[in-house]
Amino acid sequence: MKCSLKAPAKINLSLDVIAKRPDGYHEVEMIMTEVDLADRLDFVTRDDGEIVVEMSEGFIPQDTRNLAYQAAQLLKSKFQTSEGVHIYIKKNIPVAAGLAGGSSDAATVLRALNEIWGLSLSMEELAELGATIGSDVAFCVHGGTAKATGRGEKIEKLPAPPPCWVILAKPPIGVSTGDIYSQISVPNRSYSPASEIEDAIYAKDYARICNHLHNDLETVTLALYPEVRRIKKRMIESGVDAALMSGSGPTVFGLVKHENQVNRVYNALRGFCEHVYAVRLLTETC
């Protein structure tokens, strides 16, 4: 059996750190949404029971360190299926970029093998399994737009934001999510930035979304990596409606409402940063 699926990237419209948890993780409240930049995963079943992951980029691990491999192994071990699978991943999402590329690959493996191996698991069951692999996997299983709480594994689906263009720019560095979280101080505030974004999404208010983009991790990453700060500054100067770092970084995204702005922003960044993408938000109607 063969099939092919896309694994979309995500951006954080809001990432609020609420508290430090006893397990060492942080309690968070995030609003995440998918964008039209995606890896492609090709699946072919194997009769020998082996799991084989092949990457288009040779520097990415293809063994148990790979989240896609972990997802396949998790299902195979839990449900004792005798079938194997060959998974080829064409990487389009930058690695270690704050765009959940690895988590999206893992979520896509869970969804695909659920069908291929006839496991009949619900999306909620797949998301629960995915959360044991990585904090963003549960969101990526559901996809679309959602509020994530806990350490990111509790998902509440939201409507799609108003359509717009998204300019992504990633400097040639990787950022360790664990390192960034280890240096964050839990903010003391009486309001919820994520709730502001959630309300704006329900109101379909693009300007309000732009005005309330928020990421508690941004201050830490910008202090450690000046190139991320420079990219955000350049993006704002080039005319985006709003800009924010996604996840723990280092990718910065800018929102642009009108198509005639896209080329100006894209070209301004291309001369400044190698990895630049002009994409759309994914919505339920796409």
Side-chain angles (χ1 to χ4, degrees):
M1 180 176 177
K2 298 180 180 180
C3 75
S4 297
L5 292 173
K6 288 184 176 182
K10 64 81 184 169
I11 56 173
N12 294 81
L13 300 177
S14 185
L15 194 165
D16 307 347
V17 178
I18 307 300
K20 183 76 176 289
R21 294 159 54 110
D23 60 9
Y25 288 94
H26 284 78
E27 196 81 16
V28 295
E29 188 173 24
M30 303 183 288
I31 306 294
M32 296 186 282
T33 191
E34 291 179 318
V35 298
D36 191 18
L37 172 67
D39 294 342
R40 176 188 170 92
L41 280 71
D42 298 325
F43 298 85
V44 181
T45 53
R46 295 172 60 105
D47 296 331
D48 61 5
E50 293 296 314
I51 294 169
V52 177
V53 174
E54 182 182 357
M55 308 294 298
S56 63
E57 305 294 337
F59 64 88
I60 302 173
Q62 302 180 161
D63 52 21
T64 55
R65 294 169 292 173
N66 187 296
L67 296 186
Y69 187 102
Q70 292 175 29
Q73 186 61 57
L74 176 64
L75 290 182
K76 184 172 175 61
S77 299
K78 187 173 181 64
F79 297 99
Q80 296 295 301
T81 180
S82 60
E83 271 193 300
V85 65
H86 181 280
I87 306 168
Y88 176 77
I89 304 177
K90 174 66 173 74
K91 288 298 293 182
N92 297 308
I93 303 170
V95 177
L99 299 174
S103 295
S104 190
D105 291 345
T108 302
V109 169
L110 292 175
R111 292 198 309 269
L113 294 184
N114 185 45
E115 297 296 324
I116 292 170
W117 289 345
L119 303 178
S120 301
L121 299 170
S122 68
M123 287 298 104
E124 288 72 22
E125 290 171 316
L126 289 175
E128 187 175 341
L129 287 171
T132 67
I133 300 170
S135 297
D136 285 336
V137 179
F139 164 77
C140 294
V141 165
H142 288 283
T145 303
K147 177 166 68 174
T149 54
R151 62 180 179 86
E153 83 283 6
K154 299 174 184 176
I155 305 299
E156 178 186 332
K157 292 285 284 182
L158 297 175
C164 68
W165 289 87
V166 183
I167 313 297
L168 303 166
K170 178 192 177 291
I173 58 171
V175 170
S176 165
T177 299
D179 288 349
I180 301 303
Y181 270 104
S182 71
Q183 299 193 45
I184 188 74
S185 298
V186 177
N188 180 16
R189 57 180 167 236
S190 58
Y191 73 100
S192 165
S195 293
E196 295 281 358
I197 293 289
E198 183 179 359
D199 291 347
I201 287 173
Y202 275 106
K204 299 293 183 185
D205 190 334
Y206 173 76
R208 188 174 170 193
I209 291 172
C210 290
N211 288 336
H212 288 94
L213 294 182
H214 180 80
N215 184 346
D216 281 333
L217 304 183
E218 188 180 67
T219 302
V220 176
T221 304
L222 264 58
L224 291 174
Y225 301 96
E227 50 269 76
V228 181
R229 184 173 62 249
R230 287 194 293 268
I231 285 174
K232 183 177 181 182
K233 182 174 183 289
R234 182 64 172 260
M235 191 174 279
I236 292 169
E237 290 171 348
S238 67
V240 296
D241 299 324
L244 188 72
M245 186 185 77
S246 184
S248 58
T251 301
V252 177
F253 70 87
L255 301 183
V256 173
K257 184 70 171 175
H258 301 293
E259 190 171 357
N260 60 10
Q261 296 172 267
V262 174
N263 282 341
R264 183 174 72 248
V265 177
Y266 180 85
N267 290 333
L269 289 163
R270 276 294 293 173
F272 194 72
C273 179
E274 181 181 354
H275 297 287
V276 183
Y277 309 85
V279 297
R280 300 296 301 263
L281 287 182
L282 280 182
T283 68
E284 284 84 353
T285 57
C286 286

